[in-house]
Amino acid sequence: MKIRLMLALLLVLAIVVACAPAPTATPVPPTAAPKPTDAPKPTDAPKPTAAPAATSAPAATTVPPTAAPAATKAPEPTAAPAQPYKGANLRILVANHPWYDYLKTILPDFQKATGINVTLENYAENDLVQKLTTEFTAGGSTVDAFMQRPLQEGKLFAQNGWYVDLNTFIKDAKKTPDTYNFADFQKAAIGTETVKDMLTGIPIVTEQEVLYYRKDLYQAAGLQAPKTLDELEAAAAKLTDKSKQQFGFIARGQGNPAVTQFSSYLYSYGGDWFDQNTKKATLNTPEAIAAFTLFGKLHKNYAPPGTTNMSWPQAVAVFAQGSVASYTDANSIFANLLDPTKSTVAEKTGVVVFPAGPKGSVPYSVTSWGLSIAASSKNKDAAWEFVKWATSKEIVLKEQGVGANPGARASVWADPVGKSKFPADWVAAQVASANGRGYDRPLVVQVGAARDIIGTIITAAINGEDVTAAANKANADFQKLLDSEPK
Amino acid sequence: MSNFLDRNVKWLFPLPAILFILVMMVFPILYTVWNSMTPWSISAGRPPTFFGLENYQKLPDDSRFVASIGRTFYFTILAVSLEVILGVAIALLLNREFRFKRIINSIMLLPMMATPVAIAMVWLLMYVPTTGIINFVLRAFGLPEGLWVYNAQSVIPALALVDVWEWTPMIILICLAGLTALPHDPFEAAVVDGASTWQTIRYITLPMLMPTISVATLLRLIDAIKTFDIIYTMTQGGPGFTSETINIYAFVQSFQYFNFGYASSVLVVFFAVVLSVSLLVTYSRRSLEI
């Protein structure tokens, strides 16, 4: 009896010992491990696919980083040692975006030149934000640099102290040589990345809203590309034949995603989200209501049914399938519309600057993505090497000239190579909108909540409900949100 | 020593399991409850402090939250009742010997095996009003077309339909197992007494199958009320907020608005709802059997 009991106790102890480390280790991400298993999140579905580039790093990377500078026997050089950060490991989180698609193909050049190992983890945009937020909130993150949307997360991340102020690198001549030419970046783009004098990131992708239209359909109906929103509405009406499944117009209609693409309508009508000085919401001004009404009317009368559940992938699919005549959205998604392998109407699609409203054509012109360094990074200098390389003129020219990613360097837009991948009418529209408004959503900390509030007006307008009532209610909600914002 | 073991052996054996439950289940729940009593939000710019039930006081005034409760039940009841009716009916049909029975049984299982996100993506494409296959087929037969998940009125039924498609097989499976386990004598007696097929089903099969049906319903109910994947993939709670269930709303509050404290209070309420539903069903089942 006693022997059995002792055996049983031993068994229990063995199980306890075996079980104990597992539960205690899981809730908190280990700080030392190179890849922390993040706090468990149910929606963390897409697994990071580390770029294969890391494996092709030079064999010399086993040398400890401290030994590296000594290897170059430069006689007290004026130039810094060639590979001061050799052997450093960088973990960089990026979004699934053409910018990343191209960058990963040229990443080995960087690793060869600097001896720095880079691991790129890519996520869908919303998953990227969740990943960053959980890692930074939980602490002990090993992220060194990351892609960010300055207009969406800029203020929020800055407020939580998650960015390194890149001005400290830019102004340090030792870390940033003159050849980097920071002044070459478009002023508006740098402005978007700046939060209270802090440079949160270096702009890598810019975009403006444009009008895509079917040249053949417009021509057959004897119409020119619309120059004003009134002309757009008239053309949409003329080109809509619901019995033939032919529609005059499409745009994102799903509340939250539609907000950014509605912004140009709002600005062109003379409206804005709120008054920057008084912090008063202006969603129910006559200008704003007129813009919401027109946007709703275009959807309700001339767009395919069901746009209230459509973001750009759905809208692009419908347009590419050939049943829609005009489409307003960001110019950065042009590859989906003008590439014959992706669209049945690629050859027949033209691009023009956003049509003018009562206050002229005021499209947004923004930096949609930037590259930032994490405040918690232990390799900030090495991370800056990477950011500096990825945003250098040489790489931006490659990204833009080969990868067709619209960058933010003025000199690259002046270079014929920089324009070669873009259709002529696309470039003309881009140049004409470059001076547009520097934000496509309200500049607040709680952007997600603000977009949902504004989205309710868009949904109401599309459904043909009372726009003024919806705008009044949303304006009150938005004011509440503005009042709750930290000063 | 051995005395101590003798006295406490009933505690020692389940100890590992208890520890596991404490760390993996009780702790997260208590931590969520604690969070729900703080204004923790990474957009607030200040560290979270304990402030009691303030989050809960805000809940009744939050129209999106209140609407999401009703919507959760609408979706759940619609989906589960269709699943149970269809599931039991199909199980009764399949409960006999015929050719291809095995093949049909395996085909029935496929929807359950597939990944919900993949299913949702395919249904989303089939639902597209202009180019989707469902409206195409309806048009071909001259039937009225629907807007499915692309319209505020039809979005919840359309989502429930996907859930029905995916989860009816589970009810069928459980009911088939229950049917095979039924004794044969009552059926033989019914035949002798001259009962019709319908009478046999109505007065013998269904009453005897009731415990199985209620287990299947309970399982589906708890699962359906927590549905997240299908809804988030297909609509993210839209159009507008018309398909935003409690689960989706809590997700939006935490990962899009970053109000972790408030989202926790939503989740605690949701936890209470799920718990009371399952207790209610378990209780009613017990009273049914007596």
Side-chain angles (χ1 to χ4, degrees), chain A residues 5 41 159-160 254 306 449 452, chain B residues 6 42-43 45 150 236 255 257:
Chain A
L5 257 179
K41 282 287 157 277
Q159 181 182 299
N160 286 287
Q254 195 180 13
D452 273 349
Chain B
D6 273 333
I42 61 166
S43 60
Y150 296 88
Q236 292 96 46
F255 292 110
Y257 301 172

Side-chain angles (χ1 to χ4, degrees), chain B residues 131-162:
Chain B
T131 55
I133 188 157
I134 295 185
N135 273 0
F136 176 79
V137 171
L138 289 177
R139 215 176 295 144
F141 285 100
L143 293 166
E145 298 169 32
L147 285 175
W148 311 106
V149 292
Y150 296 88
N151 174 281
Q153 275 78 45
S154 58
V155 61
I156 295 272
L159 288 169
L161 189 62
V162 181

Side-chain angles (χ1 to χ4, degrees), chain A residues 166-206:
Chain A
L166 296 183
N167 278 322
T168 54
F169 293 107
I170 300 281
K171 291 188 177 141
D172 189 337
K174 277 195 206 113
K175 287 171 179 163
T176 313
D178 285 344
T179 49
Y180 182 67
N181 194 5
F182 181 66
D184 188 23
F185 283 98
Q186 292 163 355
K187 281 224 167 54
I190 294 298
T192 309
E193 286 283 7
T194 306
V195 176
K196 289 183 187 163
D197 298 331
M198 176 201 235
L199 184 63
T200 59
I202 303 290
I204 50 178
V205 187
T206 60

Side-chain angles (χ1 to χ4, degrees), chain A residues 126 253-257 306-311 314 452 459, chain B residues 64 71 75 116-117 119-121 123-125 127 147-160 162 227-245 248-249 251-252 256:
Chain A
N126 281 332
Q254 195 180 13
N256 186 320
T307 50
T308 44
N309 200 27
M310 289 190 188
S311 182
Q314 292 86 2
D452 273 349
T459 311
Chain B
R64 271 175 80 180
R71 229 170 265 135
F75 171 81
V117 174
I119 291 174
M121 293 305 289
W123 275 89
L124 190 61
L125 288 176
Y127 272 149
L147 285 175
W148 311 106
V149 292
Y150 296 88
N151 174 281
Q153 275 78 45
S154 58
V155 61
I156 295 272
L159 288 169
V162 181
T227 305
F228 179 85
D229 33 29
I230 292 179
I231 305 179
Y232 190 74
T233 314
M234 294 183 71
T235 66
Q236 292 96 46
F241 305 123
T242 47
S243 61
E244 197 169 67
T245 59
I248 303 276
Y249 184 56
F251 177 83
V252 168
Q256 278 168 22

